[in-house]
Structure formats: C-alpha cells, structure tokens
Amino acid sequence: MKVTPTAIPDVLIIEPKVFGDERGFFFESFNQKAFNEATGLDVNFVQDNHSRSAKGVLRGLHYQVQQPQGKLVRVVRGAVFDVAVDIRQGSGTFGKWVGVELSEENHKQLWVPAGLAHGFLVLSESADFLYKTTDYYAPAHERCLMWNDMDLDITWPVTGSVPALSPKDQQGHALRDLLKKY
C-alpha cells in the first residue's frame, strides 16, 4: 500500500495495491500487519460501520469528547468529499482541515486520528461509506462542528443549495465555541 501524509501530517491517504483486468479487480482492503508497517501506527479497530447517503447529504463534522475515535474510512459505492479537522488542543495544525475525494474508482482510504472532527459530502447519486473505528460509538459524548464555520473556511464542493443535513448536524457548534470550553 502507498501511504501519503496530508497537510495535517497525522491524517494519511492510504492507497491499496489493486490488481485488475477485464474481469474486474481485487485488493486487500485491510491487513493489520501491513497497515501498521506502512503507517508506523499500532491501532486496534473495535467497530466497523457502513452508511449509505444520497447525493448532497453532508454528515459531520463529528467528534467524541470522550472515547475519541480514530477512523479508517473508504467508499465502496459512489464518491464523497471527505474532511478531517484538527481540533486537538496544542496541535501545530489546530483548526486546519484536509479534504480528499474518496470513491469506488480510486479505492483511496483516509486515516483520521482520534481527536479530529470528521465529515463528508456525497458527490455521486448515492454513496456507501465504510469506516473502522478505534473506539466504540458513544452518543452521549458525540459533538458536531458547523460544516460551514467561517473560521474553518472549508472549501466544500457544494453546488447550488445548502447540503442536506440531519437535525443534529444543523446544530453544529463553531470552532470558537469549542475553544471556550478549554
């Protein structure tokens, strides 16, 4: 696998080796030993999640204040614009974001370390999004940053109207509010 650091060095783009011909393709989507060797990380995944969303749906930017989750994310159908935001106090990249298109065609995965907020926007008619997490989902500890926080200034590839948001995501907080809590 090929591992590429992003503008937030802990956030990694992971590209598996894909074997393909006219019959289709094969790739190893996850191998603990290969992941650890290629990334230099030693993480333990405890939960796998699968979501399906329609075009224009934006999920996030989610994080957990307790039981923060590292996430290894990928798309198996469709395409999304995936975003990670560094909200780790004291980090040299605090308040910075990275965005990567993940799709069924490019097979890219994104490693989002614990302590970052995460979200994605569906670009295709629908998308099936898979992610492995390093800790269990804890709804009581989940929080959300505003997807359109002016201080973050994320360049979402939104065309036309506002993305479709869940009621929870419509109540996202500004990064400035997060800073006040520390």
Side-chain angles (χ1 to χ4, degrees):
M1 71 179 63
K2 177 182 171 188
V3 177
T4 306
T6 65
I8 301 173
D10 298 349
V11 177
L12 306 173
I13 299 169
I14 299 171
E15 298 176 74
K17 185 169 177 91
V18 179
F19 303 92
D21 58 27
E22 67 280 350
R23 300 169 299 151
F25 68 85
F26 170 85
F27 69 94
E28 201 169 67
S29 62
F30 182 75
N31 175 304
Q32 187 73 60
K33 183 179 176 188
F35 178 84
N36 290 2
E37 288 174 1
T39 64
L41 300 170
D42 185 15
V43 298
N44 182 39
F45 294 106
V46 299
Q47 184 173 319
D48 282 354
N49 301 312
H50 183 155
S51 74
R52 176 174 291 157
S53 304
K55 184 173 188 164
V57 167
L58 193 150
R59 296 188 184 271
L61 299 156
H62 302 147
Y63 62 98
Q64 291 185 177
V65 292
Q66 291 181 31
Q67 294 176 235
Q69 296 176 306
K71 297 176 182 176
L72 181 60
V73 302
R74 67 189 182 107
V75 171
V76 295
R77 186 176 82 175
V80 306
F81 183 69
D82 197 73
V83 173
V85 178
D86 192 345
I87 58 171
R88 299 171 294 182
Q89 291 291 315
S91 168
T93 54
F94 179 84
K96 304 292 184 202
W97 64 274
V98 294
V100 177
E101 184 173 323
L102 305 177
S103 73
E104 67 182 293
E105 285 85 21
N106 69 23
H107 306 290
K108 289 181 181 178
Q109 300 178 31
L110 192 66
W111 164 248
V112 180
L116 277 74
H118 174 259
F120 62 90
L121 172 68
V122 178
L123 304 174
S124 52
E125 287 306 309
S126 69
D128 281 11
F129 188 86
L130 304 180
Y131 53 108
K132 304 175 95 46
T133 64
T134 59
D135 209 332
Y136 298 101
Y137 176 59
H141 303 301
E142 185 178 37
R143 303 293 186 272
C144 183
L145 287 179
M146 290 181 349
W147 71 277
N148 59 350
D149 184 329
M150 292 183 355
D151 290 329
L152 294 175
D153 196 27
I154 297 171
T155 309
W156 294 100
V158 176
T159 55
S161 64
V162 174
L165 302 169
S166 71
K168 173 179 66 176
D169 292 347
Q170 291 174 16
Q171 302 301 314
H173 296 281
L175 182 65
R176 289 179 187 194
D177 294 338
L178 179 66
L179 290 171
K180 292 175 188 175
K181 294 180 182 187
Y182 290 101

